[in-house]
Amino acid sequence: SPVQYKSAVYAGKPENSSFLKRMQVRITDLPENAGVLIVDASENELDKKKKWLNDFVIRQGKTMLVLWPDENSDLSWLPGKIMAGKALERKEKIFKVILSAEEKQNKLLNGITSEDMYFKFFRDEIPLIRKAGSGKIMLSGLLAEIPAGQGKIIICQLNPDQHENERSFGKVYRFWANLFTSLSVALDSRLNLYWNGLEISQREWLFEIDPENAGIKTEWFQPAFNDNNWKRLKTGKSWESQGITSENPALPGPPHTSYNGNAWYRLHLDIPEKYLKSDLYLEIGAIAGEDTVWLNGSLIGTTSKKTAGSKNYYQAFRNYKNPSGLLRGKNNVIAVCVYNEGGFGGLTKWPVRISPADQPYDTVLFPLEKNRKQGDPYRYVMW
């Protein structure tokens, strides 16, 4: 018989529910109408959580999904002895789970494979579930399933927000999509079966180095700025590989073998009328350096060591929303200021495109990585 997908209801801190909106989980305000009761592990709205557990899980057989408890979380209100122990410290950068034969047969894990549980972490700790009362711990501590009266409790430690701007985000997104599907939670997302974006990866951009950091002060990001004498560079490769190798004398330290410091890219482009009727996003596969991006003179996004992590900012996928009404049909100007302090710099990875929707980072339509080496967890594009 057809699966009856239902809404979910949420209780807890608002910031812990942001990923539900991103995944377009159908949310209701009425727990009696919800198929799954989603709660975080904080003490926010604790009385409501206890009531939901007693009235709807234990008595009516519904499922409660508990998000991301840590060693400081008080889980005594849940049945049985449940503990999310102190995070496991790991020196290696890869987290890998091989699904057991029992886990492969568990309907809760339908669609989830060992490859999904094989990704790089740019952190030193991974939170794990240590004890699950009379329930069972799965995926090496990332998931637990616990009986509670007529219903059950699911505890999950895989937090999508921790993977933001990391290449593991696509796999975490896939994991949650499968988990929600297994729990019969309705998702209102719509994935087009064709690409409907404006591909600009092959375009040449105007380029100029900025060793004296004059670009911000003299507003090189403004559409009217005169860039007639700038060089032309391609995206998908570093500026060094295109002849930009002169040393920046303003940088301290030993002599450099290539240009480091601030540099600017500018692109003039027209936007077809059909793209102006919906929200648009500028997508760049990766930028080797910290970047700040303007569209028609207005700031639309930035990525730095602070926002993306010192080990990841240079390979993070950029996805910047263009504010409503900012784009126009003719003579748009995108300006990108890149600060690179060592190694190769520039707009180093495709795709570069204007997208009509906020797309997941790693899908069959928009894969980020291809033909990677054996042993690299990103050699699999699993969407």
Side-chain angles (χ1 to χ4, degrees), residues 10-16 38-50 52 74 77:
Y10 175 78
K13 292 182 177 179
E15 58 266 29
N16 286 335
I38 303 176
V39 302
D40 68 3
S42 73
E43 295 184 1
N44 284 45
E45 301 185 296
L46 186 56
D47 290 340
K48 179 187 290 187
K49 297 172 186 176
K50 291 179 179 179
W52 287 1
D74 182 4
W77 59 278

Side-chain angles (χ1 to χ4, degrees), residues 93-95 115-123 163 165-172 312 315 349 361-362 367-382:
K93 297 297 183 182
I94 291 178
F95 182 79
E115 286 81 8
D116 295 316
M117 297 289 98
Y118 180 26
F119 42 71
K120 292 180 181 177
F121 262 87
F122 292 95
R123 289 172 298 281
H163 297 258
N165 293 321
E166 294 184 9
R167 290 185 294 175
S168 54
F169 179 85
K171 292 191 175 185
V172 177
N312 195 49
Q315 59 188 8
K349 185 178 290 186
Y361 287 177
D362 194 5
L368 297 186
E369 305 295 333
K370 293 182 179 178
N371 303 322
R372 300 186 69 85
K373 295 180 180 179
Q374 182 75 25
D376 189 319
Y378 297 100
R379 66 189 295 261
Y380 301 98
V381 178
M382 290 296 300

